[in-house]
Amino acid sequence: MIPDASQQALLEWANLIGIENVLTDPALLTSVQTATFHTDVRVPAILKPGNTAEVVGILQIANRHQFPVYPVSSGKNWGYGSQVPTADLCALLDLGRMNRILDFNEDLAYVTVEPGVTQRQLFEYLQSRGGRLWMDASGASPDCSLIGNTMERGFGHTPYGDHFAHVCGLQVALGSGELVETGFSGYRDSQTGPVYRWGVGPYVDGLFSQSNLGVVTRMTVWLMPAPDYFEAFFFTCEKENALSGLVDALRPLRLNGTLRSTVHIGNDYKVLSGLQQYPWEHLKGRTPLMPADLAYFRRAMNFGCWNGSGGLYGTRAQVAEARRLLKAALKGKVSRLQFLDERKLLLATRFSRVYEILTGWDLSRTLDLARPVFGLLQGIPSEKTMGSVYWRKRQRAPEDADPNRDGCGLLWCAPITPLEGGHAHSAAMLATAILLKGGFEPMLSLSMVGERAIACVVSISYDRDVPGEDGRAMECHHQLLEALVGAGYPPYRLGVQSMKAVHPPAGMTKLINLIRHAADPNGILAPGRYHQGPSSRPSAVLEQLREH
Amino acid sequence: MIPDASQQALLEWANLIGIENVLTDPALLTSVQTATFHTDVRVPAILKPGNTAEVVGILQIANRHQFPVYPVSSGKNWGYGSQVPTADLCALLDLGRMNRILDFNEDLAYVTVEPGVTQRQLFEYLQSRGGRLWMDASGASPDCSLIGNTMERGFGHTPYGDHFAHVCGLQVALGSGELVETGFSGYRDSQTGPVYRWGVGPYVDGLFSQSNLGVVTRMTVWLMPAPDYFEAFFFTCEKENALSGLVDALRPLRLNGTLRSTVHIGNDYKVLSGLQQYPWEHLKGRTPLMPADLAYFRRAMNFGCWNGSGGLYGTRAQVAEARRLLKAALKGKVSRLQFLDERKLLLATRFSRVYEILTGWDLSRTLDLARPVFGLLQGIPSEKTMGSVYWRKRQRAPEDADPNRDGCGLLWCAPITPLEGGHAHSAAMLATAILLKGGFEPMLSLSMVGERAIACVVSISYDRDVPGEDGRAMECHHQLLEALVGAGYPPYRLGVQSMKAVHPPAGMTKLINLIRHAADPNGILAPGRYHQGPSSRPSAVLEQLREH
């Protein structure tokens, strides 16, 4: 399959990083070509460098032979393309072997990591050092890479939830093979690389987020000191049209710093998909689950049309005051508002029946859903959030869940709206109508990722083994994205499926392409990734490979 | 003085923006060539565009004639070069006429401004709308531009003190004359331009901070809702070697979010220079003021070797808890810790003698110093901070203070250190030794600008009218900067005097120069500004002008 000129690149790569780190086993290649939706790009080889020098060497060889490479850190980019490249015939640059924690400072609360370091690895590392510092975890797999998620500008649920805003001191190999260190991290003998984001002169870190301008090989992550006391809150609301009021009630608390972290609001579909798979029996095989069907489940499992969660962090007095303010803000707007700390959670787990009698809140079934959220709010990565990916499957999620392998269909689309009730409502209604029309359940979550914006994550969950579903889901995804962008809510992030679906303003595309041409003159790094414009040119090897 | 080819550019500029907005009056040109230290560049003309289209047009003409331009917003960059360009014979692009507030949203707490909008203007605007939103103010002149300060990554004293971290949606004219809108602000019909920083695709805003890649013609500034209650705190410490312990005691409160804003610690020199001019009489004309001389003033005016201030924001209960935690943290480490709110300040002003008897704290003299700090902590711009610029002058600062005109000598050098006692102490000792050796008073302030870093601002204040002082001060400045960089504390910002004094890593300089070449192929925008490397090339008009 691979022509001679490209064989030469492979030989040089093997010579550089060892033959055992250049993988071409067909079964393996098939697996990395597989996402949670239809893709048709081919991966001719997987390269597994062990250090930055090898990454640089790989890029130099790629340039010499104009053989494009596509970097992935852990490749767990579920719903956005997993580890499937954005262009055909890229060698996959798998950074997973580079998994060292290079620096740790407890007083100044940071850690410096390589791209292979996962959420789980950092969590265990911090625990083993006494747990005085908390990381932020995204709701994705514990095996997600910190650098991968941060460079996609993912978010989590603690006060450090805006990942990209809490990192600095990048080491980046540009597409050209040049090595760059950002901020103060490249200054000889500087004491300030890990503690100050901006450095001196232009701040360039942002260029390497959501782009194909460089391979991030090192990053400092800021950590949060474990608070004296932590309490989660959960609220539910029975009224379908309550979202707007909830958002407007919470905004002042987010803006004034009382709520220091993301408040997450899920609709009933989202909650149900976290509690169980599609109720095939109950619906006698019919799809989609319609809003009218949901009343039964809401009653049976005790959740609302809208279901919120968030965390309060601080001393006991700080948390108590935040609790008081939150109660006042949500008064009359929610059906139920509950606070949960470590002690209550233990009690509830032991005496869930008694607890129900005392408080009127049936924790027995919702505890399963509450526990991972309770953890995420403290930066503890969770396996549980993967469950919903198997929503429409007929079999249960296996122990070694692998959505790519198991034919789970998942497409994510994540528009940003202003943190304002009317906008949140509009976006939610739009997504609901389009998904139902397309035959899918509108699972929505709205995360108040900043003080002024909501990231509304819409999941299209389906079964790839049902003939035609891949096509129908993708069609629905495209309609959804187009409608959301048209309504003024562009997505915060793109997947392999949506790289061409947004149209950035012409001036910006031109600027990015100029920078890309400077940083990667041969266009060998992740072609087709973000900001596609006229100057992305196909490489020679691509042309040559296409002819075969 | 100006040759024919350049006359042509001036004519085209006059044609574009009106002859009345192309200024070449010699007295005016002399004034804009004057900073608070020696400079020797010449400004052949001042251009005053009225809108973005005119800025773009000016840049296009500049490109055609290779006539470099140097943008300033308000030109109040005291201590870093005022409005003096970094290269000889640039036309000054004065953006002061573009002073519209383009958008204001009270719910989502933001304002969108042009470069001529000053701190004073925004403050008055917000006051006129009820004052429910607070801006952040830097300690610089009320007539400072918001965009100018933010793009230099200046800082202030409220929770929104890291200016660059609280803006988004830039409109930028690149050196090439291309117009770019960043984040979501350039997406047609997008609702999210002013509320979400990152947009989708690479985040490029940072490129336009501390650089010469573009002229920022519009920016959204996030504002802070006025808190229910505000209290300032002030502490003093009599022990010379106390800095390290103070910093380490405050760090946990900064990291855990109890202190949401910058804590500012000034040494005795800094405080004295805020209270009065150089004590010429007391010292019988001798300079510099030595540490041994200071004991008298500390006693007489009731300040310490180290003097801190900061703000507590929130509900009364939130502030009370922060106060309790701060008291506990500083116990035994300070000589005095006082809390001041609006009511106490009024009382103190009215009954300062009675207040002294009741509390033991003599407010009578320090109130003058406390009042502007009390305001700055609430984002109220202050005229008072300008006083110290006249420190070494023999005459008092006039009502219409103008440090450039009045021969005030001022050089600022602002190293970053980790927020760690040992480092803060080292940097302070280094600066103190070098300034005293150079014959100047080491006025130091240390601002905890982030949770992990200190910006240590060192002022060299002198009298430009004393023969030889310009040279001695600059020599001292260069020694200081070199020593600080060598010790691992590079500056957060450069001035005209220091653009060549730091040496960024080679990879970064190469990247910036590649980007510069793409954004400004003729090198007509602010040549010599930040990251100087081999690809900055002199323009044709420069060569031609030099021959005259």
Side-chain angles (χ1 to χ4, degrees), chain A residues 109-132:
Chain A
Y110 66 79
V111 69
T112 302
V113 298
E114 291 187 323
V117 174
T118 63
Q119 302 203 98
R120 187 197 309 278
Q121 186 183 348
L122 178 56
F123 179 72
E124 287 172 358
Y125 180 89
L126 295 174
Q127 286 301 105
S128 77
R129 266 150 194 81
R132 283 177 294 274

Side-chain angles (χ1 to χ4, degrees), chain A residues 52 56 59 169-187 202-205 207-208 213-219 518-519, chain B residues 504-515 531:
Chain A
T52 299
V56 167
L59 291 171
L170 307 183
Q171 184 188 60
V172 187
L174 303 182
S176 63
E178 293 275 342
L179 203 61
V180 172
E181 290 181 275
T182 73
F184 286 136
S185 71
Y187 281 74
Y203 167 72
V204 303
D205 293 24
L207 289 183
F208 306 107
L213 300 171
V215 181
V216 178
T217 49
R218 194 195 65 207
M219 174 178 90
Chain B
M508 180 60 79
T509 298
K510 194 167 170 188
L511 174 63
I512 299 297
N513 281 326
L514 283 169
I515 296 173
H531 271 294

